[in-house]
């Protein structure tokens, strides 16, 4: 009897079902976002979580916000502490700080993988230790350990036949590699008052990017170094663990102080490859004078302050330190300043909103660390 059944190939579409998450995990993902927005203020984050619970029914009678708080304590994400006024309260632990950094890293890396933009990827091959999967003909001077024996033997068989096997120099091929050098990076974050003006929170995306970059370097490139500094009226270095608590202050923008500190930090590094990433949304509006007083001018671009910025850019260029500016503003006169600043340093500039900031910084970091900067 003839079988009329035929095998068919194709796609079967089913209704999407989200991966299972425990009640704790669901709330914890939201809590990590809230604690970043509140700069580490646990009480404020929990207040927001309770409001969200009222609106979106995040909890049930079997698992409440109070149960979630108890779990945070038991899992080591919370600790009890006494504030300077003697009041008892709860605060996040180092374990929570690491979880926040990991979430920021996953968030940004996930977007890069999904978008597949590759706008700033370097395709320049060179002598290095990162294999590209591409091959080229052997050239005099190539190291013998770079010769791909499998591909070379295959060429010999094709060119000379199996019966009379001969391996000549013309059969040899070398696998291309990219130089993957150690990189020392300073990330500068503007914390002047303009970072929260006009109803837009610009500081939270900036510190989220910093946390993700810190997690990337410490976990995947442990030989690289990352120093983070903030600049307002002055500039000072902060530790990675301080990032969740970072806040904007009532400051002007002393870009010169930030660049001075960044270059001081990089001078101490032994790596040849050094770079500065600067996240800012405002114009330079402040200088500290030799007598310790501040010269401030927020009206337009002050030529005295701007010229000092150009001098710092040129000084960094002489030290072979490229500066990449991520400008979170679209004002034409500010963009013109950044263009001239970038020209003085021979660096790069990205004119961007908050959307895509993380992806831009990550792709640029990956590109730069595969280049050899001549020192």
């Amino acid at each position: 009897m003839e079988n009329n059944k035929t095998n068919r190939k194709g796609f079967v579409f089913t209704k999407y079902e989200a991966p299972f998450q425990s009640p704790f995990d669901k709330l914890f993902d939201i809590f990590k976002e809230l604690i970043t927005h509140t700069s580490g203020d646990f009480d404020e984050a929990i207040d927001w979580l309770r409001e969200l619970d009222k609106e979106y029914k995040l909890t049930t009678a079997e698992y409440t916000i109070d149960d979630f708080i108890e779990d945070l304590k038991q899992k080591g994400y919370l600790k009890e502490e006494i504030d300077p006024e003697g009041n008892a309260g709860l605060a996040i632990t180092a374990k929570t700080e690491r979880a926040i950094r990991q979430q920021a890293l996953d968030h940004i890396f996930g977007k890069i993988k999904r978008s597949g933009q590759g706008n700033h990827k370097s395709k320049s091959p060179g002598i290095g230790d990162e294999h590209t999967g591409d091959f080229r003909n052997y050239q005099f001077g190539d190291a013998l350990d770079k010769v791909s024996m499998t591909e070379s033997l295959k060429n010999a068989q094709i060119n000379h036949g199996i019966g009379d096997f001969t391996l000549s120099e013309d059969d040899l091929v070398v696998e291309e590699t990219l130089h993957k050098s150690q990189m020392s990076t300073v990330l500068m974050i503007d914390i002047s008052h303009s970072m929260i003006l006009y109803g837009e929170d610009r500081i939270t995306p900036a510190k989220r990017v910093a946390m993700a970059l810190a997690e990337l370097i410490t976990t995947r490139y442990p030989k690289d170094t990352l120093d983070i500094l903030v600049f307002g009226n002055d500039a000072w270095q902060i530790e990675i663990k301080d990032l969740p608590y970072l806040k904007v202050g009532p400051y002007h923008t002393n870009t010169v102080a930030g660049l001075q500190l960044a270059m001081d930090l990089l001078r101490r590094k032994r790596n040849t490859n050094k770079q500065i990433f600067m996240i800012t949304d405002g114009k330079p509006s402040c200088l500290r004078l030799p007598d310790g007083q501040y010269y401030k001018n927020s009206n337009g671009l002050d030529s005295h302050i701007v010229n000092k910025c150009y001098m710092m850019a040129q000084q960094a260029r002489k030290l072979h330190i490229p500066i990449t500016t991520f400008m979170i503003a679209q004002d034409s006169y500010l963009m013109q300043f950044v263009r001239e600043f970038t020209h003085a340093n021979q660096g790069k500039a990205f004119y961007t909103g908050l959307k895509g900031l993380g992806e831009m910084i990550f792709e640029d970091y990956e590109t730069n660390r595969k280049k050899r900067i001549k020192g």
Side-chain angles (χ1 to χ4, degrees):
M1 183 176 178
E2 186 176 347
N3 188 356
N4 292 326
K5 293 183 178 180
T6 58
N7 294 325
R8 297 179 179 178
K9 295 182 180 181
F11 297 98
V12 177
F13 295 92
T14 59
K15 185 178 180 181
Y16 172 77
E17 294 183 4
F20 173 78
Q21 275 189 308
S22 67
F24 173 82
D25 290 334
K26 290 179 182 178
L27 292 175
F28 192 46
D29 284 344
I30 301 171
F31 173 76
K32 286 182 287 187
E33 285 292 329
L34 295 176
I35 204 71
T36 302
H37 279 276
T38 62
S39 298
D41 189 323
F42 171 77
D43 292 332
E44 185 180 356
I46 287 296
D47 287 343
W48 283 17
L49 189 60
R50 292 188 191 278
E51 290 299 318
L52 290 173
D53 184 29
K54 290 178 184 178
E55 185 172 354
Y56 297 104
K57 309 298 181 186
L58 302 175
T59 63
T60 64
E62 290 76 25
Y63 194 84
T64 66
I65 297 294
D66 291 331
D67 294 326
F68 173 66
I69 294 173
E70 286 302 315
D71 276 352
L72 287 174
K73 293 179 184 177
Q74 292 179 10
K75 294 176 184 292
Y77 293 110
L78 282 183
K79 63 182 178 181
E80 295 185 359
E81 66 176 16
I82 306 296
D83 65 22
E85 297 179 358
N87 300 316
L90 294 171
I92 63 174
T93 63
K95 185 178 180 180
T96 311
E97 295 164 2
R98 287 194 300 272
I100 295 170
R101 293 198 298 269
Q102 184 61 52
Q103 178 168 280
L105 176 61
D106 293 342
H107 177 75
I108 293 173
F109 246 42
K111 282 191 175 181
I112 292 175
K113 290 177 181 177
R114 286 196 299 272
S115 66
Q117 294 173 350
N119 291 334
H120 312 295
K121 293 293 184 184
S122 172
K123 296 183 179 178
S124 302
I127 300 173
D129 55 3
E130 183 169 331
H131 297 277
T132 66
D134 297 325
F135 298 94
R136 61 171 173 80
N137 293 332
Y138 173 83
Q139 298 174 356
F140 179 77
D142 285 333
L144 292 179
D145 60 350
K146 300 298 182 184
V147 174
S148 173
M149 293 307 301
T150 302
E151 294 295 321
S152 299
L153 290 172
K154 184 173 73 174
N155 283 346
Q157 292 176 352
I158 294 172
N159 296 334
H160 309 293
I162 299 176
D164 183 20
F165 179 77
T166 304
L167 180 66
S168 67
E169 182 178 335
D170 293 335
D171 301 320
L172 299 178
V173 293
V174 175
E175 185 173 4
E176 292 279 28
T177 57
L178 286 169
H179 181 78
K180 188 172 67 176
S181 56
Q182 294 179 1
M183 176 68 74
S184 290
T185 302
V186 172
L187 177 62
M188 296 172 52
I189 303 175
D190 183 350
I191 59 167
S192 62
H193 187 57
S194 60
M195 291 289 278
I196 55 170
L197 283 180
Y198 316 115
E200 186 173 41
D201 176 11
R202 296 168 173 175
I203 189 63
T204 299
K207 66 182 179 183
R208 184 183 289 119
V209 168
M211 288 190 291
L213 190 60
E215 189 69 9
L216 174 77
I217 291 174
T218 55
T219 58
R220 305 193 185 190
Y221 304 118
K223 292 184 179 181
D224 288 8
T225 67
L226 174 66
D227 291 287
I228 303 170
L229 66 87
V230 294
F231 61 106
N233 291 348
D234 293 291
W236 61 95
Q237 190 176 4
I238 63 172
E239 301 296 329
I240 291 174
K241 64 181 179 63
D242 299 326
L243 283 169
Y245 313 101
L246 191 61
K247 296 180 180 179
V248 167
Y251 307 124
H252 286 69
T253 308
N254 192 342
T255 307
V256 170
L259 293 170
Q260 286 175 332
L261 178 56
M263 283 189 280
D264 287 343
L265 291 170
L266 289 174
R267 283 191 186 98
R268 305 171 195 168
K269 308 297 181 183
R270 295 183 178 180
N271 296 344
T272 301
N273 298 280
K274 303 174 183 180
Q275 65 180 350
I276 295 173
F277 284 169
M278 179 168 63
I279 304 175
T280 182
D281 77 323
K283 58 182 173 290
S285 59
C286 177
L287 286 176
R288 190 167 187 177
L289 302 176
D291 62 3
Q293 296 187 45
Y294 294 97
Y295 173 77
K296 302 175 184 177
N297 185 359
S298 298
N299 298 319
L301 286 171
D302 186 295
S303 59
H304 178 59
I305 298 174
V306 167
N307 287 335
K308 288 284 187 182
C309 291
Y310 295 154
M311 288 175 59
M312 295 302 300
Q314 291 169 350
Q315 185 177 341
R317 179 184 176 184
K318 291 178 181 178
L319 294 172
H320 305 286
I321 301 174
I323 302 170
T324 303
T325 305
F326 297 88
M327 190 69 175
I328 315 173
Q330 302 297 328
D331 307 72
S332 58
Y333 76 105
L334 293 180
M335 293 171 70
Q336 179 61 31
F337 158 70
V338 172
R339 278 192 287 269
E340 293 180 11
F341 176 86
T342 302
H343 177 72
N345 175 255
Q346 293 297 294
K348 286 182 288 185
F350 294 88
Y351 305 94
T352 174
L354 299 176
K355 185 178 180 181
L357 174 64
E359 293 91 302
M360 284 186 179
I361 289 180
F362 270 54
E363 290 182 350
D364 203 55
Y365 179 82
E366 291 281 5
T367 297
N368 291 349
R369 75 180 310 281
K370 291 177 183 176
K371 294 178 181 177
R372 179 178 293 277
I373 300 171
K374 296 180 181 180

